[in-house]
Amino acid sequence: MLFSVPVFIALLGATLSLASSRPSINRNLRFARQQTDGLQNNVTWDEYSIMINGERLFLFSGEMHPYRMPVQSLHLDLFQKVKSMGFNTVSFYVFWGILEPKQGEISFEGFRDLQPWFDAARQAGIYLMARPGPYINAETTAGGFPGWGTYTPGLWRTSNTTYFEAWQNYVSSIGQILAENEITNGGPVILIQSENEYTGFASGYSEDFVYETQLLTAWRNAGIKVPITFNDASPSGHYLSVNIWGYDSYPNGFDCSNPYTWVSYAIPNWLWGAHMEYTPNEPNNVYEFQGGAFDGWGGSGYDSCAILTGPDFERVFYKSELAMSTAYLNLYMLYGGTNWGGIAHPGVYTSYDYGSAIAEDRTLREKYYELKLQANFLRVSPAYLTTRPMNVNSNQGAFTGNSALVTTQLLDVVGNVTGFYVIRQMDASSNFQEMYTLTLPTSIGNLTIPQLGGQLILNGKDSKVHVVDYAAGSSHLLYSTGEVMTWATIDGRDVIIIYGNHGELHETAFKFNSTSVPSAIVVSGTQSIKTEMIDSTNLVLQYTTSGQAVVEVGNVLLYISDRANAYEFWVMYPPSTGSFANYSTTNPILIKGGYLIRSAQISGGTLEITGDLNSTASFEIIAPTASSKQVTFNGELLALQVTSYGTLTSSKTVSLPSIQLPDLESSTWKTADSLPEIDPNYDDTLWTTANHTTTVNPTQPSTPVVLYAGDYEFHTGNIIWRAHFTSTGSETGFTVNIQGGSAFGYSVWLDQTFLGSWVGDPVHTNYESTFDFPGTQGLVGGGQYVLTILQDHMGYEEDWTAASDGFKTPRGILSYSFVDGPGTEVSTWKVAGNLGGESYIDTTRGPLNEGGLYGERVGWHLPGFPDDTWDQVSPTTGISEAGVRFYRTTFTLDVPAGVDYPMALVVSNNTVNPYFRSQFYVNGYQFGKYVNSIGPQVSFPVPQGILNYKGSNTLAVTLWAQGGGGAQLSSLSLETTALIESSMPTVVNQPMPDWTRRSAA
């Protein structure tokens, strides 16, 4: 359980129930000095930890972004999964660019409404740290800045007046909403971050203290009362004027193509020294620590990223953070979600899975269960919250004599009793197994462990936390090399769960107050336990963690598990009373079994459990007898048996009803040409005329008129340019340099004749090509011609380097010329992007959902469009020449209640005509951008709520063939990615407005 110890009894710690003798260790006993921002007392802090309503908490936090999961009724599902893992906090970014896509017009319509996010967090019992920027980075287009910032003068991320004026409306508006949902008003928000990684600066610029003060003042003027934080990209002492400073760390890098190769000696021990240099009177806070890795276009895919940052990474690197007395640890990301529409910057593709513990489709990776072990240990270890590392810079070979090992000693300098010993290999990337013994100071003197012979094992890429003089209820663990997952006192008996890797030798020693020492009796399991007394009042148990054994030691019920069995335990806290009932940290119930346990609450003598199953489950339930006379699972009464040692067991047969999925390849598809613009008679009168002769963009144009899409308010998706010119008769070709970001592409037509394409690659953000005009005679002098250029916009660059204005890097035509036609001039340039540009038409699905293809502009992707007159052709048949076509089909789903069957659109790579790009629209929402020749993504999860699980669905596919041979999808299917019986909250479909006729398209 999460032990929340009131500050005024911090000195007592866990000593009330421990033997009175103390280890003779110089701990430099310290007294906590509580601090506040002077505006409230709900969130306070001292040099050790943050306190919520006077109680110390280890804030184990994970990053999730509401805009990357647009189905608002699924927020509660995610928060419940976070809570069940043992975390208590979620950190989230707010994306300015989707809230104020047109300057002065802020909208919280549809998925942008944040109130469901706050309500779901509060219902689940999760605290929130809000990170509203105004700059966020986050692999988001323009780093979260609005598109109109690209043509706004002045340097952004400085105190420049135009930038100051630009963010006023946003900060005031979002600040008020955050203030309304702070803990001071009964909400879940406990911290607000100002800016983001304001750490790197353009040449000639440095930290702008005026800018920092402007933001702090603005947040307070908006009503923010909770502490304000900041995350230095590395601990280098920037923005120290905030209340609670912290920093970021991504020690293992982002090379997902080599997922089994770690950076040698990557453990950042130096972080503790930096913390003590800059903020010794505040907790050690890591506001972003590596929880996965992003993957770029042409990358190796997120399954590889999940391996790079898998359970072994979590054991080594997160425990290394514990070795530095970290008090706030936020994992970026815990759930990544989806870069649907135009959310992404060019460095990532549609999926933002990030290799996180919770996958993009909301299923749970093994990483989730490893985190559950660590999080639950911290919840029941209050002594950790007042520790200090004693030997950060001299820990090689410490306590083991093995120079290949590093052991960091953490001592509770307030409670003055408990020690934590974090051991890992010196080279964290090593795959070698090391044997060792420990010589540790304890309350009965120095002991060499194992006491009963043998050696301990540390595998490569592993780490452990050994405890000394550790309180578990009324029980005193003299030491334990087996790691503590959790403990709880239930019906007066201490239940302790210890674990290790399969086949490892471990010892756990109990200290008693008298010589009346109970025996250790194995009451479940076949393992043999070796025991021995030391100093007449201490009982040592030696065992091998293999399977599971249950041992009674007097009033203690000790579970000895290997890691696989430990993964199965869940620690649930039934709601208490009062306005923060769902944040209870008392009266835990332990449940073993099930894919996911979401909640446990008590109604009279009935224990009501909710959860998810992916197979038939066997349960063991450890709960107060008076509260568990009956037990239900998802409302169904369980048949209970009582074990010889007083726990309850039962089983539940999984129910996974079959469903009928559409066969998309044999479905009825309708298709129409979506590039009428190449007809020389096409009327582009209503298009925007690109006629600006000046721009404030730092990249000054070399063309007669500005040909940057952003200057004409088009900031996302496909952009179409039309150049009208009169031929002199001498032109033989056309050279053009276009910029669109990594993996972008473009295609060029002269009237209806396809000239060629730049098909794109992951490296080039712009590319110059020369295209020959057709025929041997050239163009006709005096003839009127139109060049049509279709380009992809992969999102704006981020602006990580402050005062660089990197996000203003333009999307559009950098230069052009006519081959053998130096005097030829374009008389008129026309440009089209998403219909309306910043005055976007679909206010429900938001400003980044649509691009500039003709079919998008007229709404062919929307449900209800009348396609009766269209041809009947499938996208797997495709087209035989370069161009763009739109495809539409409908299908019905009938997924029963009580299950969670996540689904994905799945394609396969085409190597015959490989150069094409596709977008997938589901009920009008763009949930996939596929570049066949670049990849890597071929599976595109679409959440329930975008997919209508109980009715009709519209699927639209765009197919842009960049080669003269045309293109087709090799395959297209809708597949389930998991089958889970679930008690997940009811999913409500996001609004899916039908098509209505659009003008000026």
Side-chain angles (χ1 to χ4, degrees):
M1 64 181 175
L2 177 56
F3 230 87
S4 303
V5 185
V7 174
F8 70 90
I9 63 166
L11 282 174
L12 297 178
T15 62
L16 295 176
S17 58
L18 294 176
S20 59
S21 57
R22 297 170 181 263
S24 55
I25 303 171
N26 179 15
R27 297 171 181 265
N28 298 318
L29 183 64
R30 305 175 187 181
F31 292 83
R33 296 180 293 276
Q34 187 172 345
Q35 301 177 59
T36 176
D37 58 13
L39 300 173
Q40 48 76 49
N41 292 306
N42 301 88
V43 184
T44 56
W45 66 96
D46 60 18
E47 64 266 47
Y48 303 114
S49 72
I50 292 172
M51 288 153 274
I52 308 297
N53 293 325
E55 298 178 328
R56 287 197 187 278
L57 292 177
F58 180 88
L59 294 179
F60 215 154
S61 172
E63 188 84 12
M64 302 195 307
H65 300 153
Y67 60 89
R68 284 186 161 122
M69 168 45 77
V71 182
Q72 293 157 309
S73 55
L74 282 173
H75 293 164
L76 182 55
D77 168 68
L78 291 169
F79 282 129
Q80 287 178 342
K81 287 170 177 170
V82 174
K83 182 67 174 289
S84 293
M85 188 168 53
F87 281 40
N88 53 17
T89 307
V90 161
S91 167
F92 71 100
Y93 280 130
V94 182
F95 182 2
W96 176 13
I98 58 170
L99 297 181
E100 193 180 7
K102 187 175 183 65
Q103 188 169 17
E105 299 179 9
I106 288 184
S107 174
F108 293 93
E109 183 180 344
F111 75 95
R112 293 173 288 182
D113 182 3
L114 289 172
Q115 196 57 49
W117 175 261
F118 298 125
D119 294 343
R122 193 172 187 276
Q123 185 174 344
I126 290 291
Y127 295 113
L128 295 176
M129 177 166 81
R131 307 206 291 164
Y135 181 74
I136 62 172
N137 213 59
E139 288 75 61
T140 299
T141 180
F145 283 154
W148 49 265
T150 62
Y151 59 80
T152 300
L155 280 176
W156 285 42
R157 300 188 76 192
T158 71
S159 57
N160 178 280
T161 300
T162 53
Y163 175 56
F164 174 81
E165 293 170 348
W167 56 254
Q168 289 297 304
N169 191 24
Y170 165 70
V171 166
S172 175
S173 299
I174 193 61
Q176 291 176 38
I177 290 173
L178 294 173
E180 292 168 1
N181 287 278
E182 287 183 338
I183 191 173
T184 56
N185 293 316
V189 177
I190 58 171
L191 298 167
I192 303 289
Q193 179 180 295
S194 185
E195 246 282 350
N196 185 78
E197 294 181 338
Y198 187 61
T199 304
F201 307 94
S203 177
Y205 292 87
S206 60
E207 184 175 4
D208 189 333
F209 299 106
V210 174
Y211 171 46
E212 293 173 347
T213 301
Q214 287 173 339
L215 279 175
L216 291 177
T217 300
W219 294 124
R220 293 305 186 195
N221 288 344
I224 298 298
K225 294 182 180 178
V226 296
I228 295 177
T229 69
F230 170 69
N231 63 325
D232 226 344
S234 62
S236 44
H238 298 101
Y239 214 163
L240 292 172
S241 55
V242 298
N243 299 121
I244 311 177
W245 177 86
Y247 53 89
D248 299 349
S249 178
Y250 291 83
N252 211 28
F254 301 92
D255 185 6
C256 298
S257 63
N258 294 289
Y260 297 100
T261 302
W262 289 8
V263 178
S264 297
Y265 303 98
I267 302 299
N269 278 334
W270 61 277
L271 295 177
W272 174 255
H275 157 67
M276 292 301 289
E277 176 183 356
Y278 295 117
T279 54
N281 295 320
E282 297 173 15
N284 187 23
N285 306 299
V286 186
Y287 292 133
E288 287 185 32
F289 196 83
Q290 187 163 12
F294 61 79
D295 193 45
W297 289 99
S300 49
Y302 280 113
D303 286 344
S304 293
C305 298
I307 295 171
L308 178 70
T309 57
D312 47 359
F313 169 88
E314 293 176 321
R315 289 194 286 275
V316 172
F317 285 88
Y318 300 163
K319 290 176 184 177
S320 76
E321 287 304 301
L322 301 187
M324 289 178 274
S325 295
T326 302
Y328 187 119
L329 183 61
N330 180 56
L331 305 184
Y332 189 103
M333 302 286 296
L334 191 59
Y335 170 76
T338 304
N339 289 315
W340 63 281
I343 283 174
H345 88 130
V348 291
Y349 41 89
T350 300
S351 176
Y352 198 66
D353 178 280
Y354 216 80
S356 302
I358 304 174
E360 182 182 5
D361 63 358
R362 299 176 295 104
T363 56
L364 310 179
R365 289 189 167 103
E366 183 185 346
K367 294 176 61 170
Y368 177 96
Y369 298 95
E370 172 60 37
L371 280 173
K372 181 154 62 81
L373 300 183
Q374 298 185 34
N376 279 291
F377 166 64
L378 289 163
R379 293 176 81 167
V380 297
S381 302
Y384 170 79
L385 288 171
T386 47
T387 59
R388 282 292 179 263
M390 297 294 166
N391 64 332
V392 166
N393 298 314
S394 58
N395 51 14
Q396 184 176 4
F399 304 102
T400 65
N402 184 342
S403 61
L405 300 178
V406 165
T407 305
T408 303
Q409 181 189 49
L410 294 166
L411 296 180
D412 174 9
V413 297
V414 173
N416 200 29
V417 173
T418 305
F420 302 84
Y421 294 82
V422 183
I423 187 167
R424 61 170 175 85
Q425 299 214 19
M426 181 68 185
D427 180 359
S429 68
S430 171
N431 290 309
F432 292 106
Q433 185 182 83
E434 294 289 339
M435 311 295 289
Y436 66 100
T437 59
L438 287 163
T439 300
L440 299 179
T442 75
S443 56
I444 65 169
N446 289 343
L447 294 177
T448 299
I449 303 166
Q451 276 280 292
L452 307 188
Q455 287 186 301
L456 303 174
I457 298 172
L458 185 67
N459 293 325
K461 295 182 178 178
D462 198 7
S463 178
K464 304 178 191 296
V465 179
H466 302 315
V467 297
V468 170
D469 291 301
Y470 179 89
S474 60
S475 302
H476 182 162
L477 298 185
L478 180 64
Y479 66 83
S480 181
T481 67
E483 294 192 84
V484 176
M485 179 206 173
T486 192
W487 63 264
T489 302
I490 298 175
D491 284 346
R493 179 169 62 172
D494 294 332
V495 181
I496 307 172
I497 301 173
I498 300 288
Y499 70 96
N501 292 324
H502 184 81
E504 287 182 341
L505 178 74
H506 285 288
E507 284 186 353
T508 298
F510 289 89
K511 181 176 182 179
F512 296 93
N513 286 322
S514 70
T515 57
S516 179
V517 176
S519 300
I521 303 171
V522 178
V523 294
S524 177
T526 59
Q527 297 180 24
S528 61
I529 306 294
K530 185 178 179 181
T531 63
E532 187 173 304
M533 296 287 298
I534 54 174
D535 285 359
S536 74
T537 60
N538 306 282
L539 178 66
V540 179
L541 283 67
Q542 188 177 87
Y543 50 87
T544 299
T545 48
S546 177
Q548 178 175 289
V550 182
V551 183
E552 284 187 337
V553 185
N555 196 43
V556 174
L557 195 63
L558 179 68
Y559 283 73
I560 299 172
S561 300
D562 59 18
R563 189 175 302 277
N565 275 274
Y567 278 169
E568 295 187 51
F569 280 97
W570 304 88
V571 186
M572 310 308 295
Y573 294 84
S576 57
T577 59
S579 58
F580 291 94
N582 294 327
Y583 293 85
S584 173
T585 60
T586 60
N587 303 317
I589 290 169
L590 308 181
I591 301 167
K592 185 184 182 190
Y595 172 77
L596 169 68
I597 301 298
R598 292 179 182 269
S599 69
Q601 62 182 23
I602 297 166
S603 178
T606 300
L607 174 61
E608 299 170 345
I609 302 170
T610 66
D612 296 9
L613 305 177
N614 61 358
S615 61
T616 294
S618 296
F619 293 119
E620 183 171 6
I621 302 161
I622 312 169
T625 301
S627 306
S628 55
K629 295 175 182 177
Q630 295 186 116
V631 179
T632 62
F633 183 81
N634 295 344
E636 180 182 333
L637 195 64
L638 296 180
L640 301 174
Q641 295 81 42
V642 182
T643 65
S644 62
Y645 47 94
T647 66
L648 302 175
T649 61
S650 188
S651 63
K652 174 69 170 63
T653 301
V654 70
S655 175
L656 301 172
S658 61
I659 60 170
Q660 186 68 41
L661 292 178
D663 182 348
L664 294 180
E665 293 191 23
S666 63
S667 296
T668 299
W669 287 87
K670 295 298 190 73
T671 186
D673 175 42
S674 187
L675 196 64
E677 294 92 347
I678 63 174
D679 186 330
N681 296 316
Y682 177 83
D683 184 3
D684 59 17
T685 304
L686 296 179
W687 282 29
T688 299
T689 301
N691 58 4
H692 298 178
T693 56
T694 61
T695 179
V696 299
N697 196 288
T699 303
Q700 286 296 298
S702 61
T703 52
V705 294
V706 179
L707 299 176
Y708 302 161
D711 277 41
Y712 302 99
E713 302 188 3
F714 299 121
H715 306 297
T716 189
N718 297 292
I719 307 295
I720 304 179
W721 304 90
R722 300 190 86 228
H724 298 257
F725 69 96
T726 301
S727 173
T728 64
S730 62
E731 306 92 343
T732 60
F734 182 69
T735 299
V736 64
N737 186 356
I738 300 178
Q739 187 159 260
S742 299
F744 89 110
Y746 59 88
S747 297
V748 182
W749 286 262
L750 176 66
D751 293 339
Q752 291 178 304
T753 301
F754 175 61
L755 299 183
S757 296
W758 161 246
V759 297
D761 63 31
V763 177
H764 290 89
T765 62
N766 68 283
Y767 198 82
E768 182 176 89
S769 300
T770 297
F771 303 100
D772 294 334
F773 288 156
T776 58
Q777 302 301 317
L779 304 187
V780 177
Q784 303 295 309
Y785 295 91
V786 178
L787 284 164
T788 301
I789 302 170
L790 170 60
Q791 75 156 104
D792 219 344
H793 186 316
M794 309 302 283
Y796 286 119
E797 306 298 333
E798 295 175 309
D799 200 50
W800 190 89
T801 302
S804 70
D805 273 355
F807 81 104
K808 296 180 181 180
T809 302
R811 300 294 179 246
I813 299 172
L814 300 181
S815 66
Y816 69 89
S817 62
F818 290 88
V819 179
D820 297 327
T824 305
E825 296 181 355
V826 173
S827 58
T828 304
W829 278 98
K830 291 283 191 170
V831 60
N834 65 297
L835 187 61
E838 292 175 8
S839 301
Y840 55 104
I841 301 301
D842 191 342
T843 58
T844 298
R845 297 177 181 91
L848 298 178
N849 187 57
E850 302 173 3
L853 293 178
Y854 178 79
E856 294 175 295
R857 302 198 310 270
V858 298
W860 288 354
H861 58 294
L862 298 174
F865 176 80
D867 56 15
D868 299 349
T869 62
W870 286 16
D871 295 335
Q872 188 170 313
V873 180
S874 164
T876 54
T877 300
I879 54 179
S880 58
E881 60 184 2
V884 182
R885 291 197 73 85
F886 234 88
Y887 300 84
R888 289 172 49 87
T889 191
T890 60
F891 58 87
T892 299
L893 293 175
D894 186 13
V895 181
V899 300
D900 185 8
Y901 290 0
M903 299 184 192
L905 290 168
V906 180
V907 299
S908 57
N909 184 256
N910 186 329
T911 59
V912 177
N913 288 301
Y915 301 115
F916 67 88
R917 294 163 182 259
S918 285
Q919 297 172 137
F920 306 115
Y921 280 95
V922 180
N923 295 319
Y925 289 84
Q926 186 193 138
F927 255 80
K929 187 182 186 75
Y930 176 58
V931 184
N932 180 76
S933 61
I934 297 177
Q937 187 173 5
V938 294
S939 179
F940 297 85
V942 183
Q944 182 179 356
I946 298 299
L947 274 169
N948 179 6
Y949 273 31
K950 298 294 288 186
S952 178
N953 293 270
T954 297
L955 173 61
V957 176
T958 66
L959 185 62
W960 168 7
Q962 294 182 277
Q968 63 281 322
L969 294 175
S970 287
S971 63
L972 176 62
S973 59
L974 180 66
E975 301 177 7
T976 55
T977 58
L979 300 177
I980 302 168
E981 179 184 345
S982 180
S983 61
M984 64 186 290
T986 300
V987 178
V988 178
N989 290 337
Q990 283 300 112
M992 303 172 183
D994 282 352
W995 175 83
T996 57
R997 188 172 300 279
R998 295 178 170 189
S999 59

